[in-house]
Amino acid sequence: SISSIAFVDGDLLLPLDSGGVVRLTQKDGKWEEQWKAPKLRLGDTSPLFYQGMMYTLDPRAGQLVCTDAKTGKPVWEEKVQGEQRGVCA
């Protein structure tokens, strides 16, 4: 499986093949990068957006990360115990 795109206030939160996430804004018919967070590793999980925050899970490191979806800056992160396959939000 692959990560899915998330839509946030008309913008795209796009998982990158190389790892990380980018937020794209459409301006004058073209997509422009608003921010890029290359350290966010998603594996085959997808970003979740809720109340202005983006939540991602790095299944290899077992790390749950909360990021400000407007700025791309990390807010908090937490180590998840146990196997991270099939995590649902």
Side-chain angles (χ1 to χ4, degrees):
S1 68
I2 59 172
S3 300
S4 299
I5 295 170
F7 292 93
V8 179
D9 301 326
D11 291 352
L12 294 176
L13 291 174
L14 180 65
L16 302 172
D17 288 339
S18 59
V21 178
V22 65
R23 183 170 180 160
L24 302 174
T25 301
Q26 194 169 35
K27 187 173 182 181
D28 299 326
K30 296 181 181 180
W31 291 100
E32 295 182 358
E33 185 178 297
Q34 192 170 1
W35 55 258
K36 188 179 204 175
K39 292 185 179 180
L40 290 177
R41 302 288 179 202
L42 302 178
D44 60 358
T45 66
S46 298
L48 171 73
F49 175 78
Y50 181 70
Q51 294 186 345
M53 298 295 160
M54 179 180 67
Y55 300 88
T56 56
L57 177 69
D58 179 342
R60 290 188 182 174
Q63 199 77 11
L64 178 65
V65 180
C66 175
T67 305
D68 184 316
K70 186 169 229 148
T71 65
K73 302 288 184 202
V75 176
W76 57 259
E77 55 186 62
E78 176 137 354
K79 185 78 170 163
V80 178
Q81 299 298 316
E83 191 173 336
Q84 288 80 47
R85 293 177 58 176
V87 173
C88 298

Coordinates of all heavy atoms in Angstrom, one line a residue:
S1 N 0.8 -1.2 0.0 CA 0.0 0.0 0.0 C 0.9 1.2 0.0 O 2.1 1.2 0.3 CB -1.0 0.0 1.2 OG -0.3 0.1 2.4
I2 N 0.3 2.4 -0.3 CA 1.0 3.6 -0.4 C 0.3 4.7 0.4 O -0.9 4.6 0.8 CB 1.2 4.1 -1.8 CG1 -0.2 4.3 -2.5 CG2 2.0 3.2 -2.6 CD1 -0.2 5.0 -3.8
S3 N 1.0 5.7 0.8 CA 0.4 6.8 1.6 C -0.5 7.6 0.7 O -0.4 7.7 -0.5 CB 1.5 7.8 2.0 OG 2.5 7.1 2.8
S4 N -1.5 8.2 1.3 CA -2.6 9.0 0.6 C -2.3 10.4 0.7 O -1.8 10.9 1.7 CB -4.0 8.6 1.1 OG -4.3 7.3 0.9
I5 N -2.8 11.2 -0.2 CA -2.8 12.7 -0.1 C -3.9 13.1 0.8 O -5.0 12.5 0.8 CB -3.1 13.2 -1.6 CG1 -1.9 12.9 -2.5 CG2 -3.3 14.7 -1.5 CD1 -2.2 13.2 -3.9
A6 N -3.7 14.2 1.6 CA -4.7 14.8 2.4 C -5.0 16.2 1.9 O -4.1 16.9 1.4 CB -4.2 14.8 3.9
F7 N -6.2 16.6 2.0 CA -6.6 17.9 1.6 C -6.9 18.8 2.8 O -7.6 18.3 3.7 CB -7.9 17.9 0.7 CG -7.6 17.3 -0.7 CD1 -7.8 16.0 -0.9 CD2 -7.1 18.1 -1.7 CE1 -7.6 15.4 -2.1 CE2 -6.9 17.5 -3.0 CZ -7.1 16.1 -3.1
V8 N -6.3 20.0 2.9 CA -6.4 20.8 4.0 C -6.7 22.2 3.6 O -5.8 22.9 2.9 CB -5.1 20.8 4.9 CG1 -5.3 21.7 6.1 CG2 -4.8 19.4 5.3
D9 N -7.9 22.8 3.8 CA -8.2 24.1 3.5 C -7.9 24.5 2.0 O -7.3 25.5 1.7 CB -7.5 25.1 4.4 CG -7.9 24.9 5.9 OD1 -9.1 24.5 6.1 OD2 -7.0 25.1 6.7
G10 N -8.1 23.5 1.1 CA -7.8 23.7 -0.3 C -6.4 23.4 -0.7 O -6.1 23.5 -1.9
D11 N -5.5 23.1 0.3 CA -4.2 22.8 0.0 C -4.0 21.2 0.0 O -4.9 20.5 0.5 CB -3.2 23.3 1.1 CG -3.1 24.9 1.0 OD1 -3.7 25.5 0.0 OD2 -2.6 25.4 1.9
L12 N -2.9 20.8 -0.5 CA -2.5 19.4 -0.5 C -1.4 19.1 0.5 O -0.4 19.8 0.5 CB -2.0 18.9 -1.9 CG -3.0 19.0 -3.1 CD1 -2.3 18.6 -4.3 CD2 -4.1 18.0 -2.8
L13 N -1.6 18.0 1.3 CA -0.5 17.5 2.1 C -0.1 16.2 1.3 O -0.8 15.3 1.3 CB -1.0 17.1 3.5 CG -1.3 18.3 4.4 CD1 -1.9 17.8 5.7 CD2 -0.1 19.2 4.6
L14 N 1.1 16.3 0.7 CA 1.5 15.2 -0.2 C 2.7 14.5 0.4 O 3.8 15.0 0.6 CB 1.9 15.9 -1.5 CG 2.4 15.0 -2.6 CD1 1.3 14.1 -3.1 CD2 2.9 15.9 -3.8
P15 N 2.5 13.2 0.6 CA 3.7 12.3 1.0 C 4.6 12.2 -0.1 O 4.2 12.1 -1.3 CB 3.0 11.0 1.4 CG 1.6 11.2 1.6 CD 1.3 12.4 0.7
L16 N 5.9 12.3 0.2 CA 6.9 12.2 -0.9 C 7.5 10.8 -1.0 O 7.7 10.2 0.1 CB 8.1 13.2 -0.6 CG 7.6 14.7 -0.5 CD1 8.7 15.6 0.0 CD2 7.1 15.2 -1.8
D17 N 7.9 10.4 -2.2 CA 8.5 9.1 -2.4 C 9.8 9.0 -1.6 O 10.2 7.9 -1.1 CB 8.7 8.8 -3.9 CG 7.5 8.5 -4.6 OD1 6.4 8.1 -4.0 OD2 7.5 8.7 -5.9
S18 N 10.5 10.1 -1.5 CA 11.8 10.1 -0.9 C 11.7 10.2 0.6 O 12.7 10.2 1.3 CB 12.7 11.3 -1.4 OG 12.0 12.5 -1.2
G19 N 10.5 10.3 1.1 CA 10.3 10.5 2.6 C 9.9 11.9 2.8 O 10.3 12.8 2.1
G20 N 9.1 12.1 3.8 CA 8.7 13.4 4.2 C 7.3 13.8 3.6 O 6.7 13.0 2.9
V21 N 6.9 15.0 3.9 CA 5.6 15.5 3.5 C 5.8 17.0 3.0 O 6.6 17.7 3.5 CB 4.6 15.5 4.6 CG1 3.3 16.1 4.2 CG2 4.4 14.1 5.2
V22 N 5.1 17.4 2.0 CA 5.1 18.7 1.5 C 3.7 19.3 1.5 O 2.7 18.5 1.2 CB 5.7 18.8 0.1 CG1 4.9 18.1 -1.0 CG2 6.0 20.2 -0.4
R23 N 3.5 20.5 1.8 CA 2.2 21.2 1.7 C 2.2 22.1 0.5 O 3.1 23.0 0.3 CB 1.9 22.0 2.9 CG 0.5 22.6 2.8 CD 0.0 23.2 4.1 NE -1.3 23.8 3.9 CZ -2.2 24.1 4.9 NH1 -1.8 23.8 6.2 NH2 -3.4 24.6 4.7
L24 N 1.3 21.9 -0.4 CA 1.2 22.7 -1.7 C 0.0 23.5 -1.7 O -1.1 23.1 -1.3 CB 1.2 21.7 -2.9 CG 2.4 20.7 -3.0 CD1 2.1 19.8 -4.2 CD2 3.7 21.5 -3.2
T25 N 0.1 24.8 -2.2 CA -1.0 25.7 -2.3 C -1.1 26.0 -3.8 O -0.2 26.3 -4.4 CB -0.7 27.0 -1.5 OG1 -0.5 26.7 -0.1 CG2 -1.8 28.0 -1.6
Q26 N -2.4 26.1 -4.2 CA -2.6 26.5 -5.6 C -2.7 28.0 -5.7 O -3.5 28.6 -5.0 CB -3.9 25.8 -6.2 CG -3.9 25.9 -7.7 CD -5.0 25.0 -8.2 OE1 -6.1 24.8 -7.6 NE2 -4.8 24.4 -9.4
K27 N -1.9 28.5 -6.6 CA -1.9 30.0 -6.9 C -1.8 30.2 -8.4 O -0.8 29.7 -9.0 CB -0.7 30.6 -6.1 CG -0.7 32.1 -6.2 CD 0.3 32.7 -5.2 CE 0.2 34.2 -5.3 NZ 1.3 34.8 -4.4
D28 N -2.7 30.9 -8.9 CA -2.7 31.3 -10.4 C -2.6 30.0 -11.2 O -1.9 29.9 -12.2 CB -1.5 32.2 -10.7 CG -1.6 33.5 -10.0 OD1 -2.7 34.0 -9.8 OD2 -0.6 34.1 -9.6
G29 N -3.3 28.9 -10.8 CA -3.4 27.7 -11.6 C -2.2 26.8 -11.4 O -2.1 25.8 -12.1
K30 N -1.2 27.2 -10.6 CA 0.0 26.4 -10.3 C 0.1 26.0 -8.9 O -0.3 26.7 -8.0 CB 1.2 27.1 -10.8 CG 1.3 27.4 -12.2 CD 2.6 28.1 -12.6 CE 2.6 28.4 -14.1 NZ 3.8 29.1 -14.4
W31 N 0.7 24.8 -8.6 CA 0.9 24.4 -7.2 C 2.2 24.9 -6.7 O 3.3 24.7 -7.4 CB 0.8 22.9 -7.1 CG -0.5 22.3 -7.3 CD1 -1.0 21.8 -8.5 CD2 -1.6 22.3 -6.4 NE1 -2.3 21.4 -8.3 CE2 -2.7 21.7 -7.0 CE3 -1.7 22.8 -5.1 CZ2 -3.9 21.6 -6.4 CZ3 -2.9 22.6 -4.4 CH2 -4.0 22.0 -5.1
E32 N 2.2 25.6 -5.6 CA 3.5 26.1 -5.0 C 3.7 25.5 -3.6 O 2.8 25.3 -2.9 CB 3.3 27.7 -4.8 CG 3.3 28.4 -6.1 CD 3.2 29.9 -5.9 OE1 3.2 30.4 -4.7 OE2 3.1 30.6 -6.9
E33 N 5.0 25.2 -3.4 CA 5.3 24.6 -2.1 C 5.2 25.7 -1.0 O 5.8 26.7 -1.0 CB 6.8 24.1 -2.2 CG 7.2 23.4 -0.9 CD 8.6 22.9 -1.1 OE1 8.9 22.0 -1.9 OE2 9.5 23.3 -0.3
Q34 N 4.4 25.3 0.0 CA 4.3 26.2 1.2 C 5.3 25.8 2.3 O 5.9 26.7 2.9 CB 2.8 26.1 1.7 CG 2.5 27.1 2.7 CD 1.0 27.1 3.1 OE1 0.2 26.3 2.6 NE2 0.6 28.0 3.9
W35 N 5.5 24.5 2.5 CA 6.5 24.0 3.3 C 6.8 22.6 3.0 O 6.0 21.9 2.4 CB 6.2 24.2 4.8 CG 4.9 23.6 5.3 CD1 3.8 24.3 5.6 CD2 4.6 22.2 5.6 NE1 2.8 23.4 6.1 CE2 3.3 22.2 6.1 CE3 5.4 21.1 5.6 CZ2 2.7 21.0 6.5 CZ3 4.8 19.9 5.9 CH2 3.5 19.8 6.4
K36 N 8.0 22.1 3.5 CA 8.4 20.8 3.3 C 9.0 20.2 4.6 O 9.8 20.9 5.2 CB 9.4 20.7 2.1 CG 9.8 19.4 1.7 CD 10.8 19.5 0.6 CE 10.9 18.3 -0.3 NZ 11.8 18.5 -1.5
A37 N 8.6 19.0 5.0 CA 9.1 18.4 6.2 C 9.8 17.1 5.8 O 9.1 16.0 5.9 CB 8.0 18.3 7.2
P38 N 11.0 17.1 5.4 CA 11.7 15.9 4.9 C 11.9 14.8 5.9 O 12.1 13.7 5.6 CB 13.0 16.4 4.2 CG 13.2 17.7 4.9 CD 11.9 18.3 5.3
K39 N 11.9 15.2 7.2 CA 12.2 14.2 8.3 C 11.0 13.4 8.7 O 11.2 12.4 9.4 CB 12.8 14.9 9.5 CG 14.2 15.5 9.2 CD 14.7 16.1 10.5 CE 16.1 16.7 10.2 NZ 16.7 17.3 11.4
L40 N 9.8 13.8 8.2 CA 8.6 13.0 8.5 C 8.6 11.8 7.7 O 8.5 11.9 6.4 CB 7.3 13.8 8.3 CG 7.1 14.9 9.3 CD1 5.8 15.7 8.8 CD2 6.9 14.4 10.7
R41 N 8.7 10.6 8.3 CA 8.7 9.3 7.5 C 7.4 8.7 7.7 O 7.0 8.4 8.8 CB 9.9 8.4 8.0 CG 11.2 9.1 7.9 CD 11.7 9.1 6.5 NE 13.0 9.8 6.4 CZ 13.4 10.4 5.3 NH1 12.7 10.4 4.2 NH2 14.6 10.9 5.3
L42 N 6.7 8.3 6.6 CA 5.4 7.8 6.7 C 5.3 6.3 6.4 O 4.3 5.7 6.8 CB 4.4 8.5 5.7 CG 4.3 10.0 5.9 CD1 3.4 10.6 4.9 CD2 3.8 10.4 7.3
G43 N 6.3 5.8 5.7 CA 6.2 4.4 5.3 C 5.0 4.3 4.4 O 4.8 5.0 3.5
D44 N 4.1 3.3 4.7 CA 2.8 3.2 4.0 C 1.6 3.8 4.7 O 0.5 3.5 4.4 CB 2.6 1.7 3.6 CG 2.4 0.8 4.8 OD1 2.6 1.3 5.9 OD2 2.2 -0.4 4.6
T45 N 1.9 4.6 5.7 CA 0.8 5.3 6.4 C 0.4 6.6 5.8 O 1.2 7.1 4.9 CB 1.1 5.5 7.9 OG1 2.2 6.5 8.0 CG2 1.5 4.2 8.6
S46 N -0.7 7.2 6.1 CA -1.1 8.5 5.5 C -1.2 9.5 6.6 O -1.6 9.2 7.7 CB -2.5 8.3 4.8 OG -2.3 7.4 3.8
P47 N -1.0 10.8 6.3 CA -1.1 11.8 7.3 C -2.6 12.0 7.6 O -3.5 11.9 6.8 CB -0.5 13.1 6.6 CG -0.6 12.8 5.1 CD -0.5 11.3 5.0
L48 N -2.8 12.4 8.9 CA -4.2 12.7 9.3 C -4.2 14.2 9.8 O -3.3 14.6 10.5 CB -4.5 11.8 10.5 CG -5.8 12.2 11.3 CD1 -7.0 11.7 10.4 CD2 -5.9 11.5 12.6
F49 N -5.2 14.9 9.3 CA -5.3 16.3 9.7 C -6.5 16.5 10.6 O -7.6 16.0 10.3 CB -5.6 17.2 8.4 CG -5.8 18.6 8.6 CD1 -4.8 19.4 9.0 CD2 -7.1 19.1 8.6 CE1 -5.0 20.8 9.2 CE2 -7.3 20.5 8.9 CZ -6.3 21.3 9.2
Y50 N -6.3 17.2 11.7 CA -7.4 17.5 12.7 C -7.1 18.7 13.4 O -6.1 18.9 14.0 CB -7.5 16.3 13.6 CG -8.6 16.4 14.6 CD1 -10.0 16.4 14.3 CD2 -8.3 16.7 16.0 CE1 -11.0 16.5 15.2 CE2 -9.3 16.8 16.9 CZ -10.7 16.7 16.5 OH -11.7 16.9 17.4
Q51 N -8.1 19.7 13.4 CA -8.0 20.9 14.1 C -6.6 21.7 14.0 O -6.0 22.1 14.9 CB -8.3 20.7 15.6 CG -9.8 20.3 15.8 CD -10.2 20.2 17.2 OE1 -9.3 20.2 18.1 NE2 -11.5 20.1 17.5
G52 N -6.2 21.8 12.7 CA -5.0 22.5 12.4 C -3.7 21.8 12.6 O -2.6 22.3 12.4
M53 N -3.8 20.5 13.0 CA -2.6 19.7 13.3 C -2.6 18.6 12.3 O -3.6 18.0 11.9 CB -2.5 19.2 14.7 CG -2.5 20.3 15.7 SD -0.9 21.2 15.6 CE -1.4 22.7 16.5
M54 N -1.4 18.1 11.9 CA -1.2 17.0 11.1 C -0.5 15.9 11.9 O 0.5 16.2 12.6 CB -0.3 17.3 9.9 CG -0.1 16.1 9.0 SD 1.0 16.5 7.5 CE 2.5 16.9 8.3
Y55 N -1.0 14.7 11.9 CA -0.5 13.6 12.7 C 0.1 12.6 11.7 O -0.6 12.2 10.8 CB -1.6 13.0 13.6 CG -2.1 14.0 14.5 CD1 -3.2 14.8 14.2 CD2 -1.6 14.1 15.8 CE1 -3.7 15.7 15.1 CE2 -2.1 15.1 16.7 CZ -3.1 15.9 16.3 OH -3.6 16.8 17.2
T56 N 1.3 12.1 11.9 CA 1.9 11.2 11.1 C 2.5 10.1 12.0 O 2.9 10.3 13.1 CB 3.0 11.8 10.2 OG1 4.0 12.4 11.1 CG2 2.4 12.8 9.2
L57 N 2.7 8.9 11.4 CA 3.3 7.8 12.1 C 4.4 7.2 11.3 O 4.2 6.8 10.1 CB 2.2 6.7 12.4 CG 2.8 5.4 13.1 CD1 3.2 5.7 14.5 CD2 1.7 4.3 13.1
D58 N 5.6 7.2 11.9 CA 6.7 6.5 11.2 C 6.7 5.1 11.7 O 7.1 4.8 12.9 CB 8.0 7.2 11.6 CG 9.2 6.5 11.0 OD1 9.2 5.4 10.6 OD2 10.3 7.2 11.0
P59 N 6.2 4.1 10.9 CA 6.1 2.7 11.4 C 7.4 2.1 11.7 O 7.5 1.2 12.5 CB 5.4 2.0 10.2 CG 5.6 2.9 9.0 CD 5.8 4.3 9.5
R60 N 8.5 2.5 11.0 CA 9.8 1.8 11.3 C 10.4 2.3 12.6 O 10.9 1.5 13.4 CB 10.8 2.2 10.2 CG 10.4 1.5 8.9 CD 11.5 1.6 7.9 NE 11.1 1.0 6.6 CZ 11.7 1.0 5.5 NH1 12.8 1.7 5.4 NH2 11.2 0.4 4.5
A61 N 10.3 3.6 12.9 CA 10.8 4.1 14.2 C 9.8 4.0 15.3 O 10.1 4.2 16.5 CB 11.2 5.5 14.0
G62 N 8.5 3.8 15.0 CA 7.5 3.7 16.0 C 7.2 5.1 16.6 O 7.0 5.2 17.8
Q63 N 7.3 6.1 15.8 CA 7.2 7.5 16.3 C 5.9 8.2 15.7 O 5.7 8.2 14.5 CB 8.4 8.3 15.8 CG 8.7 9.5 16.5 CD 9.4 9.3 17.8 OE1 9.8 8.2 18.1 NE2 9.5 10.3 18.6
L64 N 5.1 8.6 16.6 CA 3.9 9.4 16.3 C 4.3 10.9 16.4 O 4.8 11.3 17.5 CB 2.8 9.1 17.2 CG 1.5 9.9 17.0 CD1 0.9 9.5 15.7 CD2 0.5 9.5 18.1
V65 N 4.1 11.7 15.4 CA 4.5 13.1 15.4 C 3.3 14.0 15.1 O 2.5 13.7 14.2 CB 5.6 13.3 14.3 CG1 6.0 14.8 14.3 CG2 6.8 12.4 14.5
C66 N 3.1 15.0 15.9 CA 2.1 16.0 15.7 C 2.8 17.3 15.1 O 3.8 17.8 15.7 CB 1.4 16.4 17.0 SG 0.3 17.8 16.9
T67 N 2.4 17.7 14.0 CA 3.0 18.9 13.3 C 1.9 19.9 13.0 O 0.8 19.6 12.7 CB 3.5 18.4 11.9 OG1 4.4 17.3 12.1 CG2 4.3 19.5 11.2
D68 N 2.3 21.2 13.2 CA 1.4 22.3 12.8 C 1.2 22.3 11.3 O 2.2 22.5 10.6 CB 2.0 23.6 13.3 CG 1.1 24.8 13.1 OD1 0.5 24.9 12.0 OD2 1.0 25.7 14.0
A69 N 0.0 22.0 10.8 CA -0.2 21.9 9.4 C 0.0 23.2 8.6 O 0.2 23.2 7.4 CB -1.6 21.3 9.2
K70 N -0.1 24.3 9.3 CA 0.1 25.6 8.6 C 1.5 25.9 8.4 O 1.9 26.4 7.3 CB -0.6 26.7 9.5 CG -0.6 28.1 8.8 CD -1.4 29.1 9.5 CE -2.3 29.7 8.5 NZ -3.6 30.1 8.9
T71 N 2.4 25.5 9.4 CA 3.8 25.9 9.3 C 4.7 24.7 8.9 O 5.9 25.0 8.5 CB 4.3 26.5 10.6 OG1 4.3 25.5 11.6 CG2 3.5 27.7 11.0
G72 N 4.3 23.5 9.2 CA 5.1 22.3 9.0 C 6.1 22.1 10.2 O 6.9 21.2 10.1
K73 N 6.0 22.9 11.2 CA 6.9 22.7 12.4 C 6.3 21.7 13.4 O 5.1 21.6 13.7 CB 7.0 24.1 13.2 CG 7.5 25.2 12.3 CD 8.9 25.1 12.0 CE 9.4 26.3 11.3 NZ 10.6 26.1 10.5
P74 N 7.2 20.8 13.9 CA 6.8 19.8 14.8 C 6.3 20.4 16.1 O 6.8 21.4 16.6 CB 8.0 19.0 15.1 CG 9.0 19.4 14.1 CD 8.6 20.7 13.5
V75 N 5.2 19.9 16.7 CA 4.6 20.3 18.0 C 5.0 19.4 19.1 O 5.5 19.8 20.1 CB 3.1 20.5 17.9 CG1 2.5 20.9 19.2 CG2 2.7 21.5 16.8
W76 N 4.9 18.1 18.8 CA 5.3 17.0 19.8 C 5.5 15.7 19.0 O 5.0 15.6 17.9 CB 4.3 16.9 21.0 CG 2.9 16.6 20.6 CD1 1.9 17.4 20.6 CD2 2.4 15.3 20.3 NE1 0.7 16.8 20.2 CE2 1.0 15.5 20.0 CE3 2.9 14.0 20.1 CZ2 0.1 14.4 19.6 CZ3 2.0 13.0 19.7 CH2 0.7 13.2 19.5
E77 N 6.2 14.8 19.7 CA 6.4 13.5 19.1 C 6.4 12.5 20.3 O 6.8 12.9 21.4 CB 7.6 13.3 18.2 CG 8.9 13.7 18.9 CD 10.0 13.7 17.9 OE1 9.9 14.5 16.9 OE2 10.9 12.9 18.1
E78 N 6.0 11.3 20.0 CA 5.9 10.3 21.1 C 6.2 8.9 20.5 O 5.8 8.6 19.4 CB 4.5 10.2 21.7 CG 4.3 9.2 22.7 CD 3.6 9.6 23.9 OE1 3.3 10.8 24.0 OE2 3.3 8.8 24.7
K79 N 7.0 8.2 21.2 CA 7.3 6.8 20.8 C 6.1 5.9 21.1 O 5.5 6.0 22.1 CB 8.5 6.3 21.7 CG 9.0 5.0 21.3 CD 9.9 5.1 20.1 CE 10.6 3.7 19.9 NZ 11.1 3.6 18.5
V80 N 5.8 5.1 20.1 CA 4.6 4.2 20.2 C 5.2 2.8 20.5 O 6.1 2.3 19.8 CB 3.8 4.2 18.8 CG1 2.7 3.2 18.9 CG2 3.3 5.6 18.5
Q81 N 4.6 2.1 21.5 CA 5.0 0.8 21.9 C 4.4 -0.3 21.0 O 3.2 -0.1 20.6 CB 4.7 0.6 23.3 CG 5.5 1.6 24.3 CD 7.0 1.5 24.2 OE1 7.5 0.4 24.2 NE2 7.6 2.6 24.1
G82 N 5.0 -1.4 20.8 CA 4.4 -2.5 20.1 C 4.5 -2.3 18.6 O 5.2 -1.4 18.0
E83 N 3.9 -3.3 17.9 CA 3.9 -3.3 16.4 C 3.0 -2.2 15.9 O 1.9 -2.0 16.4 CB 3.4 -4.7 15.9 CG 3.6 -4.9 14.5 CD 3.3 -6.3 14.1 OE1 3.3 -7.2 14.9 OE2 3.0 -6.5 12.9
Q84 N 3.5 -1.5 14.8 CA 2.7 -0.3 14.3 C 2.0 -0.7 13.0 O 1.6 0.2 12.3 CB 3.6 0.9 14.1 CG 4.1 1.5 15.3 CD 5.2 0.8 16.0 OE1 6.2 0.4 15.4 NE2 5.1 0.6 17.3
R85 N 1.8 -1.9 12.7 CA 1.1 -2.2 11.4 C -0.4 -2.1 11.7 O -0.9 -2.5 12.7 CB 1.4 -3.7 11.0 CG 2.9 -3.8 10.6 CD 3.3 -5.2 10.3 NE 2.4 -5.6 9.2 CZ 2.5 -6.8 8.7 NH1 3.4 -7.6 9.0 NH2 1.7 -7.2 7.7
G86 N -1.1 -1.6 10.7 CA -2.5 -1.5 10.7 C -3.1 -0.5 11.7 O -4.1 -0.7 12.3
V87 N -2.3 0.6 12.0 CA -2.8 1.6 12.9 C -3.9 2.4 12.3 O -3.8 2.8 11.1 CB -1.6 2.5 13.3 CG1 -2.1 3.7 14.1 CG2 -0.5 1.8 14.0
C88 N -5.0 2.6 13.0 CA -6.1 3.3 12.5 C -6.3 4.6 13.4 O -6.0 4.5 14.6 CB -7.4 2.5 12.6 SG -7.4 1.1 11.6
A89 N -6.8 5.7 12.8 CA -7.0 6.9 13.6 C -8.5 7.2 13.4 O -9.1 7.0 12.5 CB -6.1 8.0 13.1

